[in-house]
Amino acid sequence: QVQLVESGGGLLQAGDSLTLTCANSGGVFELYDVAWHRQAPGMERVLVAEIPADGRRIYADSVKGRFIISRDNAKNTVTLQMNNLKPEDSGVYYCHAHRQGITRGWEYWGQGTQVTVSP
């Protein structure tokens, strides 16, 4: 089974940089589409960035040009490099993995890691 663990969150100041890591401890997951989502207090969970199995990189408009999502298949991880952080980037960041088969799909969520950015 895929098991996702996020790490790297913390308390930061506007303009700082931070890298989050999603580690799969349950086996190789390069066949999965992987994404980072953010949920702020009182807000819905939103997609921040995704890296499908085909290697594309897709970003929300609010983070485009500042964040980079990438895979390290040797380490079985997906990272989110966050640069020039803004207070509106604050929230709990969740890793999500999904794979679609012919008749069914598989999906997994991590427990989340907190990112707080002060002005």
Side-chain angles (χ1 to χ4, degrees):
Q1 292 182 344
V2 169
Q3 296 176 323
L4 305 178
V5 178
E6 303 97 331
S7 62
L11 300 172
L12 301 148
Q13 189 173 356
D16 286 349
S17 297
L18 188 69
T19 298
L20 306 181
T21 299
C22 175
N24 174 24
S25 62
V28 176
F29 74 149
E30 65 260 29
L31 295 178
Y32 287 79
D33 302 330
V34 181
W36 284 96
H37 297 250
R38 180 185 68 243
Q39 187 164 19
M43 304 291 287
E44 297 293 326
R45 188 173 300 185
V46 298
L47 177 68
V48 175
E50 60 182 329
I51 182 166
D54 63 13
R56 290 175 294 137
R57 292 170 170 84
I58 303 167
Y59 301 94
D61 288 341
S62 62
V63 307
K64 192 172 298 182
R66 297 189 296 120
F67 290 11
I68 301 172
I69 188 170
S70 60
R71 292 178 183 264
D72 186 337
N73 289 331
K75 297 180 179 179
N76 215 24
T77 61
V78 171
T79 60
L80 183 67
Q81 301 174 48
M82 304 186 294
N83 301 305
N84 191 24
L85 284 163
K86 303 176 179 180
E88 52 263 43
D89 296 321
S90 298
V92 178
Y93 282 73
Y94 297 91
C95 183
H96 177 261
H98 174 261
R99 181 168 68 92
Q100 182 66 52
I102 296 174
T103 60
R104 62 158 293 180
W106 298 261
E107 68 174 322
Y108 306 89
W109 288 97
Q111 295 299 306
T113 185
Q114 177 73 47
V115 175
T116 302
V117 184
S118 299

